[in-house]
Amino acid sequence: MSVFPSNPLRVALLAGWCLAALPAYPQFQIPGIQSGVVTSDPRPEAEEPPVPANPSVPVADPVAVPDLQEIPRFDEVPAVAPPVPSVRAMPVEEDEGSVEIPKELQGDQPAMLRAEPLATEADVEEAVPEKDSTVKKMDTLGVDATAAPVTASEVRAQAPPEKSGQVGSSVLTRTEARTFTFSIPAPRGQILDRNGYPLAQNKVAYYAAISFPFLGSEVSDAEVLRYAGERMVHVNNILGTDWDLAGKAVIDHYRHRRWVPLTFSSVLSDSEVDGLNRQKMEGLSLHPVYLRHYPQVKTLSHVVGYVGKRPPRTTGPIVNDEDLWGQAIGVDGLEQTFEAELKGTPGRVNVVFEADGTKVKEEVLSRPRPGFNVVTSIDLEMQRICEELLAERMKRGAMVVMDVRNGDVMAMASFPQFDPNEFIPAITQDKYSALVNDPAKPLYPRAFRGTYPAASTFKVVSALGFLESGYISANDLYPCPNAWSVGNLVMRNWNKDGEGSMNVVGALTRSCNTWFYEVATSSGADSMSYMATRLGLGDKTGLPLKEAAGFIPNNRYWAEKYGYLMSDGEEAVMSIGQGKVEVTPLQVARMMGAVGNGSEVLKPRLVLQVQDLNHELERTFPVEVANNLNVDSYSLKAVQRGLYDVVNAGNGTGKQAYHKITVSGKTGTGQWNVALKQNISWFAGYFPSKNPIYSFAVIYEGDPGEVVSGGKTSAPVVGAFLERYLTEENYNKVRERAEEIAARQGEEEESASYRDFQPVTSIFREGEVPPGEDATPFPPVQEQVAQPQPRQQEGGGLFKIFKRKRQ
């Protein structure tokens, strides 16, 4: 039973045409939550069993009504509903579109995407000034390119005689001999998906390097440059490259650090390593290091992040416990968040060098201990499908998929992406500039750091807020004209034709803006802002990444900033997710997960556990509840029914996301950058509709002037995702998990009330015309304008919480 009082007078006034169409029912009553508006279909639990005239004659069992939200087996077709006469068939519009918000009510419009990009501290490859190029100085030094490269012994032979104690005495008394203790960087831990597939790992890589021998205590800078330059030219000739170093860097290295290799190349490929091994040269070596590697390339790049070296090149005299090579340090994403767990513990080695640079002794004091592995909640298969669909169907956008039962982030895709391998160990200046200046902004993690108007997905919040505040019940009828006025401002619906009166289920199904305008001005802003906060909008979710908070306006904010409470027009704009409302795709997916599970707003869980090298658990991350939903079950079922009808009612705005596993969702189309006439579209929801397992949110960024809509640009992405992901194996897994939930809940008696919400009873579905009713549909209502109704002083128990009198 509904906890809200019905208002027969208001119902009769607003739905006179419905009453006129029901001559066969002398005593009209609201039979429960219906699809769209009041129908003649009573709730099953309210029906009295038929009494036979002759008790000896058995009564035939009533025809079983199929549960349209029941998940069929993979090889079965969905249940087909029996024909039920509708009260009135309304015009079917193809799709929801954006509406123009009056300038006076528009929020702050972004000049560009509101998000912090990745790679703000990228390591960029060293640029060698031409005037200081070691390779180019070979000509000025008079080096014959056809002659054999000079050797160390030849350089020393041309130098003045060595002083006593340089070469030939014991290691302990030679001034050019050295003993150093170096730190051995530990292999970085891996980042894995939930099934163990690597997202970030290590590989052994090689650089071409100059290993300086002792060239004499009085060797000139020119000879040092010649020795180094000839080896660079040798490598460039073999590999067809143009690697170079600044002359100052070469000289400083020889004077202070000649005992360690001086790298001058990019990371060598396997074929390049083989080529140099076949043409060895004195003073030229291959320097091995551990490097980070991202085997999935662009996949999940915004979430995993990348590493950099700090500092990129070590200079100055060698100090004890100096790293043998630059350690990788997380710069963004999970690489940065879990830096302490991933970096491991370095080892230590003691090395003794002869005066001529020869290593004569090496003692490992302690071995490096690899870092821990970070196991994420990501399903790589699901992630790849999301990214493929974004690449196929969008120029820019994002998609998030979450598990409604535990908050696990199964996929979190932002498009376009970037290849984090290009940042390892350093990115070229040209590539970095191209990424930063790309108008599509591939470095922006839109899924969790981009903020957007919620558009009509916010109607889920508004509807729940209206119902919970007690201002309306699930069957109260309000008009859905094609336009609505407040003061001298006219605000329009997306459908140019009026659609009559409808209840909250119909308003969600048809995404009627003017219905929400009317109810919002009665219920007030706080009913919406309070519900939005409970559903986790406008606040960071607790994701272990740098994320945006978004913003949800309320009367307190309005009073502090503007000195007055929100006006009718501002409340109306807020009710459809425009104005100052800003959310992230992750927040919207979490909100839909809460509506789907019906009880909890969960903290998104992106990391499941941290393991050591032997897969022993070092740390686990439990399921966390951010908020208990605590909404009336009847209010929740009304909203859930509306979301089901959006996809399944035949003329719902999200019908292009239809799948036999059953999907519930909400489309949205909103103004984003008004100056450029740039709009966005949403589709968010969950599946299966009954006992859901996953929630999702998809956003599409339109080009300036492009016509977009949630039903035509975002909903089809979800439909395609379900077709690709729900193979027979995955389909059966989802179905089995939904059945497990039903078994644990014991299929409570109230759950059977899903039969009350069959889409065939919707007035928007074409159906048989009841006897005695004119088959001619009502003509479209043009420029129908509804004035705000006077505020009602009655309401539910939470009336005083939500209602604040304007000054």
Side-chain angles (χ1 to χ4, degrees):
M1 295 293 293
S2 171
V3 299
F4 304 119
S6 61
N7 191 329
L9 177 60
R10 192 190 328 164
V11 172
L13 290 174
L14 295 177
W17 60 272
C18 284
L19 295 175
L22 295 170
Y25 299 95
Q27 186 176 359
F28 178 75
Q29 62 177 352
I30 299 175
I33 301 176
Q34 305 298 332
S35 293
V37 297
V38 177
T39 73
S40 58
D41 181 25
R43 301 185 69 189
E45 55 266 37
E47 292 182 343
E48 295 294 333
V51 179
N54 185 351
S56 62
V57 178
V59 178
D61 292 335
V63 178
V65 179
D67 188 345
L68 301 185
Q69 299 190 13
E70 194 69 40
I71 308 172
R73 296 186 180 277
F74 184 79
D75 54 355
E76 294 176 346
V77 296
V80 178
V84 177
S86 61
V87 175
R88 175 69 65 182
M90 296 295 294
V92 177
E93 289 292 327
E94 283 301 316
D95 194 24
E96 174 197 19
S98 65
V99 295
E100 183 175 343
I101 303 299
K103 292 182 179 179
E104 295 85 346
L105 300 177
Q106 291 172 1
D108 299 330
Q109 298 300 322
M112 59 183 293
L113 179 65
R114 288 181 176 175
E116 179 186 347
L118 294 171
T120 55
E121 302 178 11
D123 291 326
V124 180
E125 286 186 357
E126 301 172 70
V128 179
E130 186 173 347
K131 63 180 181 180
D132 197 23
S133 166
T134 299
V135 172
K136 291 186 181 299
K137 286 181 179 179
M138 293 298 96
D139 295 334
T140 61
L141 293 175
V143 176
D144 185 357
T146 61
V150 67
T151 63
S153 58
E154 291 172 343
V155 175
R156 287 197 298 266
Q158 297 172 7
E162 300 293 341
K163 296 178 181 180
S164 174
Q166 293 295 327
V167 179
S169 54
S170 72
V171 169
L172 297 178
T173 60
R174 297 172 198 167
T175 59
E176 289 299 323
R178 291 290 189 276
T179 300
F180 298 109
T181 301
F182 292 103
S183 175
I184 310 172
R188 197 169 175 85
Q190 297 185 86
I191 300 177
L192 310 168
D193 92 323
R194 66 188 302 116
N195 298 310
Y197 292 107
L199 305 174
Q201 55 187 186
N202 308 298
K203 68 176 183 179
V204 176
Y206 293 89
Y207 291 95
I210 299 167
S211 297
F212 281 110
F214 180 62
L215 300 179
S217 59
E218 304 297 327
V219 67
S220 66
D221 290 349
E223 289 297 330
V224 173
L225 289 175
R226 177 185 177 183
Y227 189 88
E230 288 181 336
R231 280 136 188 85
M232 293 184 206
V233 171
H234 175 72
V235 171
N236 287 338
N237 289 338
I238 295 174
L239 304 180
T241 55
D242 57 355
W243 292 319
D244 199 356
L245 284 176
K248 185 179 183 303
V250 172
I251 294 169
D252 288 347
H253 185 92
Y254 177 80
R255 301 299 181 193
H256 301 294
R257 310 179 59 80
R258 67 175 179 83
W259 295 271
V260 295
L262 172 62
T263 59
F264 63 88
S265 74
S266 300
V267 177
L268 300 174
S269 65
D270 292 342
S271 60
E272 290 172 335
V273 170
D274 293 340
L276 293 181
N277 276 328
R278 289 193 297 267
Q279 300 190 47
K280 296 181 179 180
M281 176 186 289
E282 177 199 271
L284 183 64
S285 64
L286 293 173
H287 183 50
V289 297
Y290 288 126
L291 277 187
R292 202 59 161 164
H293 177 60
Y294 301 99
Q296 311 304 333
V297 198
K298 293 184 178 182
T299 298
L300 213 69
S301 55
H302 296 97
V303 173
V304 174
Y306 71 99
V307 297
K309 293 186 301 180
R310 295 290 186 270
R313 184 185 294 280
T314 306
T315 58
I318 298 173
V319 297
N320 276 334
D321 291 321
E322 180 180 295
D323 291 334
L324 278 174
W325 59 83
Q327 288 197 58
I329 299 176
V331 176
D332 210 323
L334 293 176
E335 291 277 28
Q336 181 183 50
T337 304
F338 289 89
E339 171 65 24
E341 291 84 354
L342 290 167
K343 70 178 182 180
T345 304
R348 298 177 73 235
V349 60
N350 195 60
V351 186
V352 179
F353 293 94
E354 252 292 12
D356 63 358
T358 304
K359 182 167 62 177
V360 295
K361 185 180 180 183
E362 179 177 289
E363 179 185 4
V364 176
L365 304 178
S366 62
R367 296 187 178 277
R369 191 172 65 203
F372 296 137
N373 296 330
V374 174
V375 181
T376 69
S377 61
I378 296 294
D379 184 309
L380 188 56
E381 178 189 11
M382 195 178 288
Q383 178 74 25
R384 282 176 172 163
I385 294 174
C386 290
E387 293 181 354
E388 289 169 2
L389 288 170
L390 293 181
E392 292 171 12
R393 296 170 179 261
M394 296 188 182
K395 297 175 183 177
R396 297 166 307 279
M399 183 172 184
V400 179
V401 182
M402 292 180 61
D403 191 319
V404 305
R405 303 163 300 171
N406 49 34
D408 284 359
V409 180
M410 307 298 293
M412 189 156 58
S414 300
F415 185 80
Q417 307 146 280
F418 68 97
D419 183 359
N421 291 302
E422 293 182 344
F423 290 85
I424 310 300
I427 189 171
T428 65
Q429 184 62 58
D430 289 344
K431 288 182 178 179
Y432 184 62
S433 297
L435 285 171
V436 171
N437 298 324
D438 188 335
K441 306 212 175 287
L443 296 178
Y444 283 95
R446 290 167 162 84
F448 56 92
R449 213 177 287 177
T451 57
Y452 304 87
S456 290
T457 62
F458 195 78
K459 291 174 183 174
V460 175
V461 176
S462 300
L464 273 177
F466 299 157
L467 291 167
E468 282 294 283
S469 67
Y471 281 96
I472 66 169
S473 71
N475 286 315
D476 284 351
L477 299 180
Y478 281 83
C480 177
N482 62 337
W484 181 89
S485 67
V486 54
N488 60 349
L489 300 178
V490 175
M491 300 168 64
R492 303 183 185 281
N493 189 24
W494 62 268
N495 187 353
K496 65 181 180 180
D497 300 327
E499 298 194 19
S501 295
M502 58 184 65
N503 64 8
V504 66
V505 176
L508 287 169
T509 304
R510 295 295 292 156
S511 197
C512 179
N513 293 331
T514 49
W515 189 97
F516 281 90
Y517 297 158
E518 177 67 29
V519 180
T521 57
S522 299
S523 299
D526 287 338
S527 64
M528 297 179 284
S529 60
Y530 179 66
M531 184 58 63
T533 302
R534 285 168 65 180
L535 288 168
L537 300 182
D539 196 10
K540 294 182 178 180
T541 65
L543 198 73
L545 297 171
K546 295 177 184 177
E547 61 173 327
F551 183 72
I552 299 297
N554 55 39
N555 274 322
R556 179 176 180 179
Y557 164 83
W558 225 264
E560 291 176 352
K561 184 169 182 178
Y562 302 108
Y564 61 91
L565 302 184
M566 295 177 71
S567 67
D568 285 345
E570 288 155 347
E571 290 173 338
V573 169
M574 179 181 177
S575 72
I576 63 168
Q578 293 275 186
K580 292 185 178 293
V581 175
E582 288 190 350
V583 297
T584 67
L586 176 64
Q587 290 174 3
V588 174
R590 177 169 77 157
M591 173 191 75
M592 286 299 187
V595 174
N597 70 43
S599 59
E600 298 170 333
V601 180
L602 297 168
K603 177 181 177 181
R605 185 168 63 165
L606 182 59
V607 175
L608 301 178
Q609 54 190 230
V610 176
Q611 304 174 344
D612 65 12
L613 190 62
N614 298 317
H615 308 295
E616 296 293 332
L617 295 183
E618 292 290 331
R619 183 181 174 190
T620 60
F621 296 83
V623 175
E624 295 185 47
V625 177
N627 293 312
N628 289 311
L629 195 55
N630 288 332
V631 298
D632 179 76
S633 62
Y634 207 52
S635 300
L636 181 65
K637 288 184 183 299
V639 172
Q640 289 174 336
R641 178 57 209 231
L643 299 182
Y644 177 84
D645 278 1
V646 166
V647 180
N648 301 278
N651 70 331
T653 57
K655 56 183 176 291
Q656 292 198 47
Y658 175 84
H659 192 278
K660 69 178 181 180
I661 202 166
T662 68
V663 182
S664 295
K666 184 70 193 75
T667 56
T669 309
Q671 289 180 297
W672 183 38
N673 193 324
V674 177
L676 298 178
K677 296 183 178 179
Q678 189 174 14
N679 296 335
I680 56 167
S681 70
W682 289 91
F683 186 64
Y686 51 85
F687 68 93
S689 296
K690 189 174 182 180
N691 301 314
I693 303 299
Y694 297 119
S695 64
F696 57 83
V698 175
I699 188 167
Y700 177 97
E701 289 181 18
D703 285 332
E706 181 183 2
V707 177
V708 302
S709 68
K712 290 184 178 177
T713 53
S714 295
V717 174
V718 174
F721 168 81
L722 296 173
E723 287 297 326
R724 293 190 192 181
Y725 176 70
L726 292 177
T727 61
E728 182 171 3
E729 179 182 1
N730 290 336
Y731 183 97
N732 289 333
K733 285 181 180 178
V734 172
R735 185 173 181 271
E736 289 168 4
R737 291 168 185 167
E739 289 174 346
E740 289 173 3
I741 294 176
R744 286 198 301 269
Q745 295 176 345
E747 288 289 7
E748 298 175 1
E749 191 66 29
E750 189 177 4
S751 296
S753 63
Y754 268 105
R755 294 181 178 180
D756 299 338
F757 311 133
Q758 294 177 33
V760 294
T761 64
S762 171
I763 65 166
F764 305 123
R765 175 177 288 276
E766 297 290 351
E768 298 179 4
V769 180
E773 182 177 344
D774 184 4
T776 304
F778 286 108
V781 181
Q782 300 295 334
E783 285 300 319
Q784 189 178 26
V785 177
Q787 296 290 341
Q789 294 184 351
R791 295 179 177 274
Q792 300 178 6
Q793 296 303 315
E794 71 276 5
L798 299 180
F799 177 85
K800 293 183 179 179
I801 296 179
F802 296 112
K803 185 67 175 175
R804 294 180 64 184
K805 183 181 295 183
R806 291 192 176 87
Q807 301 299 326

